[in-house]
Amino acid sequence: MICREQDGAFVMVKQHEHGLLAGEFAKWFKEEHTPAEGRREEVLRAVSNHDRGWIDLDETPFWNDAEDAPYSFIDFPVVPKLTFYRRGINEVEADTPYGALLCSSHFERLIEVSGEECPELTRYLQDEAERRARIHRELEQSRPLEEGELYYDARLLQFCDDLSLFLALSEPGSAESEKHPWFADGFSGSEEFSFTSGRAIQAEWQDNATLTLTPFPFTKEIGVSFKLRRVSRKDIEHKGIALAYKETPEEECRITVISGAGEDDVQVKTVTGERTAG
């Protein structure tokens, strides 16, 4: 679960919902090196499903007494998290082995960035290294990877994942000073895309319905949506986190994407202010 606290409530977005949003961003991303035949459809399915391992976990949120908040993807216990990482990658591999290679590499990077260490993590990393080596061998026999292909697709997954997280972790219209620290200097790695000329892509709220991206990464203005729940602390105190979450109606946030000021080609307009109960 992706969580943030706002006005006495926890704004909660399911991980797979966030993944589907990332997949929508990937669909409209400016293509660069992709080979003539490409694996575009496999990449889009992988980006959309990279967090599908959380589907069952997010049906019933858990309370973290130490943080006085629901457990989120950031602080969820390592051992069960790894179990569901494996499960999600297994499900992606059943659909697209290349997608599993991409997702496995993505989670390896996240673990390295986290700095966490424990025997279970070491074993997980070893198992996934073996998975990736096996998939590489299988692809060499059927459809070898082109130079830089996996690296580019990994950057695409990282950016779309980060942008989707930005929306889930932000209150529309919030000030620059309230920006989540992960994104204070722009989206890490986005400076490597050729169209950015070495600049990290920056997000800035124009108002409570509009977010701009500079440089703009998409081919056109896009419309997307994602669902969330605003679960009040009072309901959690009276009912417990599981029932309070279950009885809180979903809201749908509709988002339009446009270009930042001074950009000839792009921006992100978020009509998150227009919400409908789901």
Side-chain angles (χ1 to χ4, degrees):
M1 194 74 70
I2 302 168
C3 298
R4 61 181 173 85
E5 193 165 5
Q6 181 77 29
D7 299 331
F10 292 101
V11 182
M12 305 177 71
V13 178
K14 292 181 178 181
Q15 284 282 86
H16 187 51
E17 185 75 14
H18 137 78
L20 295 173
L21 177 58
E24 281 298 301
F25 288 134
K27 185 186 300 183
W28 300 107
F29 197 81
K30 292 179 179 179
E31 293 188 45
E32 291 185 308
H33 96 211
T34 50
E37 296 301 320
R39 301 176 210 262
R40 176 175 168 76
E41 290 305 316
E42 291 182 77
V43 171
L44 292 180
R45 295 200 303 274
V47 175
S48 293
N49 287 283
H50 76 275
D51 273 333
R52 68 173 296 107
W54 292 87
I55 290 175
D56 290 341
L57 278 175
D58 281 351
E59 283 304 308
T60 305
F62 301 88
W63 188 256
N64 184 342
D65 290 322
E67 298 294 331
D68 193 30
Y71 272 110
S72 74
F73 71 103
I74 297 172
D75 55 17
F76 199 82
V78 170
V79 175
K81 179 166 65 175
L82 295 177
T83 298
F84 287 90
Y85 272 2
R86 285 193 183 94
R87 176 175 170 177
I89 298 173
N90 287 343
E91 291 177 358
V92 171
E93 184 175 1
D95 173 45
T96 160
Y98 180 70
L101 179 63
L102 185 58
C103 291
S104 178
S105 299
H106 179 67
F107 289 128
E108 180 186 43
R109 184 188 66 82
L110 294 181
I111 290 170
E112 289 175 349
V113 170
S114 75
E116 292 181 289
E117 293 183 1
C118 67
E120 292 83 3
L121 266 175
T122 300
R123 181 53 193 266
Y124 169 85
L125 291 171
Q126 290 172 343
D127 290 346
E128 287 304 311
E130 292 174 5
R131 184 204 299 268
R132 292 194 300 274
R134 171 177 54 77
I135 293 175
H136 269 291
R137 290 194 299 270
E138 292 170 355
L139 290 174
E140 283 301 313
Q141 296 298 316
S142 58
R143 191 177 171 194
L145 298 182
E146 294 200 10
E147 183 179 357
E149 184 176 3
L150 181 61
Y151 182 81
Y152 169 78
D153 291 335
R155 299 286 75 71
L156 174 64
L157 171 54
Q158 178 185 342
F159 172 75
C160 295
D161 183 35
D162 283 349
L163 178 55
S164 180
L165 275 176
F166 178 91
L167 292 177
L169 291 171
S170 301
E171 186 66 16
S174 54
E176 186 73 11
S177 60
E178 298 174 23
K179 183 179 290 184
H180 194 285
W182 289 353
F183 311 112
D185 297 321
F187 296 100
S188 177
S190 62
E191 67 277 4
E192 297 182 24
F193 294 117
S194 63
F195 63 84
T196 65
S197 301
R199 296 174 293 165
I201 295 172
Q202 301 281 342
E204 182 179 355
W205 290 106
Q206 181 172 301
D207 53 42
N208 63 1
T210 308
L211 174 75
T212 68
L213 291 185
T214 310
F216 191 72
F218 303 115
T219 58
K220 66 169 190 173
E221 295 185 5
I222 58 175
V224 295
S225 66
F226 67 98
K227 296 178 181 178
L228 58 79
R229 299 188 198 204
R230 296 178 182 270
V231 187
S232 75
R233 271 193 175 272
K234 289 184 178 179
D235 283 349
I236 293 171
E237 291 170 3
H238 294 148
K239 305 174 184 178
I241 182 62
L243 186 58
Y245 178 81
K246 181 179 179 180
E247 293 185 351
T248 299
E250 285 187 330
E251 301 173 9
E252 183 175 16
C253 299
R254 294 188 296 273
I255 300 169
T256 305
V257 184
I258 59 177
S259 155
E263 287 278 308
D264 291 331
D265 45 12
V266 247
Q267 242 184 11
V268 174
K269 177 181 180 184
T270 336
V271 190
T272 317
E274 297 179 12
R275 297 190 178 94
T276 57

